[in-house]
Amino acid sequence: MPVHFPLKLVGRRMLAPTVAHLSFVRDDGQPLDFVPGQFVQVHFTYADGTATRRSYSLATIHDHAIGPGEAVEIAVSYVPGGAATAMFEGLDQGDCIDASGPYGRFCLMPTDANRRYLLIGTGTGVTPYRSMLPLLEKAMAERGVEVVLLFGARTPEELLYGDEFRAFAEAHPNFRFLPCFSREMPAPGSAQDHADVRHGYVQNFLEEFAPSADTDIAYLCGNPNMVDACFEVLKERGLPVPQIRREKYVSSK
Ligand SMILES: Cc1cc2nc3c(=O)[nH]c(=O)nc-3n(C[C@H](O)[C@H](O)[C@H](O)COP(=O)(O)OP(=O)(O)OC[C@H]3O[C@@H](n4cnc5c(N)ncnc54)[C@H](O)[C@@H]3O)c2cc1C
């Protein structure tokens, strides 16, 4: 059941030149119940006083409620001229914003009996998958599920949480992490230079994994064009629509 609550900013770090990782705590001392993959909304006003809101996936690595005092984390992509962008950029440590949630059904299901999850995201569309890591770890341990994370970014410096996903992949043989760079590849020998790096759009690499209705449940999150393109590829491969779960980052104006 979504509720309204105040979020106090306690931390900010840049994940990429135009993407901020923001840490808040609930200022009313209550826990925030959520299922990884869900999002919150922030409520604010335009300069003319009109009320508006924007949605942000929870990035917090957790498998249930975020306790009082624990960080409520989101990754915000700053867009030129964006109303929420201006609001977030103007926030100082200790400032409070009005939020509500959790919302959404872009979540792993306890009834899932698939052999593999194909997780596909672009930009901040990777944050739900960060949040899901403990549940994915559990699914890998308990039912031997395999996980492939295809993450689309333009350049290596835009690979959000790349070090975390790479470390998780190295610790879990059933988890593969494939960054797909559309514009610029990592420099040879650099930290991001890896056999699993691909050059191009994520939708071009789905075939490599031979998606199948018998084995796969796919998650698509982020840029709406990417979501649509991957959806078409997966449907052509015969995945039934209920096995293709989607979250499009469209503006909620
Ligand atoms: C379910 C859901 C979850 C979402 N989760 C996240 C999240 O975790 N992180 C996140 O950053 N965003 C997320 N979004 C998008 C977010 O809600 C806002 O739309 C986004 O932050 C832009 O808001 P803004 O007010 O700054 O820009 P707006 O004032 O809405 O737009 C300003 C201008 O920027 C353009 N624009 C808007 N978004 C983009 C973009 N991504 N790239 C380029 N141009 C753009 C608009 O077309 C407009 O011209 C999510 C959206 C949905 C529906």
Side-chain angles (χ1 to χ4, degrees):
M1 184 70 180
V3 289
H4 268 261
F5 47 87
L7 285 179
K8 182 168 75 177
L9 184 70
V10 295
R12 180 201 310 261
R13 70 187 159 94
M14 296 310 288
L15 297 170
T18 59
V19 184
H21 175 93
L22 302 178
S23 301
F24 298 88
V25 291
R26 264 185 83 149
D27 203 36
D28 57 4
Q30 297 297 308
L32 175 57
D33 269 321
F34 86 113
V35 181
Q38 288 190 302
F39 63 92
V40 290
Q41 292 195 322
V42 299
H43 304 257
F44 60 103
T45 54
Y46 292 121
D48 67 1
T50 313
T52 189
R53 63 192 173 184
R54 298 288 186 277
S55 303
Y56 296 92
S57 298
L58 286 160
T60 304
I61 300 174
H62 227 305
D63 58 0
H64 58 291
I66 300 171
E70 287 185 336
V72 176
E73 298 166 303
I74 58 174
V76 178
S77 184
Y78 292 157
V79 301
T85 297
M87 184 275 292
F88 282 121
E89 285 184 317
L91 278 186
D92 290 321
Q93 293 265 348
D95 286 350
C96 275
I97 56 172
D98 178 29
S100 67
Y103 302 99
R105 291 181 298 173
F106 189 71
C107 304
L108 305 175
M109 303 292 174
T111 49
D112 287 346
N114 56 316
R115 292 212 296 278
R116 188 171 61 178
Y117 285 117
L118 296 175
L119 310 179
I120 299 129
T122 47
T124 50
V126 81
T127 50
Y129 308 137
R130 180 179 192 256
S131 183
M132 288 175 189
L133 288 177
L135 290 181
L136 291 168
E137 187 169 41
K138 201 166 165 229
M140 289 188 287
E142 290 181 357
R143 53 185 187 92
V145 80
E146 287 179 27
V147 182
V148 177
L149 172 56
L150 282 160
F151 180 3
R154 285 177 301 191
T155 65
E157 68 175 1
E158 294 179 9
L159 192 69
L160 316 180
Y161 308 111
D163 293 347
E164 292 181 21
F165 289 124
R166 174 67 59 218
F168 190 83
E170 281 167 6
H172 300 83
N174 277 15
F175 186 96
R176 268 187 83 183
F177 175 48
L178 285 94
C180 305
F181 296 111
S182 58
R183 285 202 192 155
E184 180 190 315
M185 286 293 273
S190 66
Q192 299 295 355
D193 187 25
H194 189 280
D196 273 343
V197 167
R198 300 287 182 272
H199 191 186
Y201 292 115
V202 283
Q203 53 267 34
N204 299 339
F205 300 103
L206 287 173
E207 291 288 348
E208 187 177 327
F209 297 94
S212 152
D214 298 332
T215 50
D216 293 307
I217 293 179
Y219 286 74
L220 312 174
C221 187
N223 180 298
N225 295 331
M226 177 282 291
V227 170
D228 290 343
C230 290
F231 182 69
E232 289 309 317
V233 173
L234 292 168
K235 255 195 339 183
E236 271 176 34
R237 289 289 311 201
L239 253 69
V241 172
Q243 285 172 230
I244 313 173
R245 299 169 184 166
R246 291 168 284 171
E247 192 82 280
K248 292 186 183 182
Y249 282 4
V250 290
S251 186
S252 42
K253 280 185 286 187

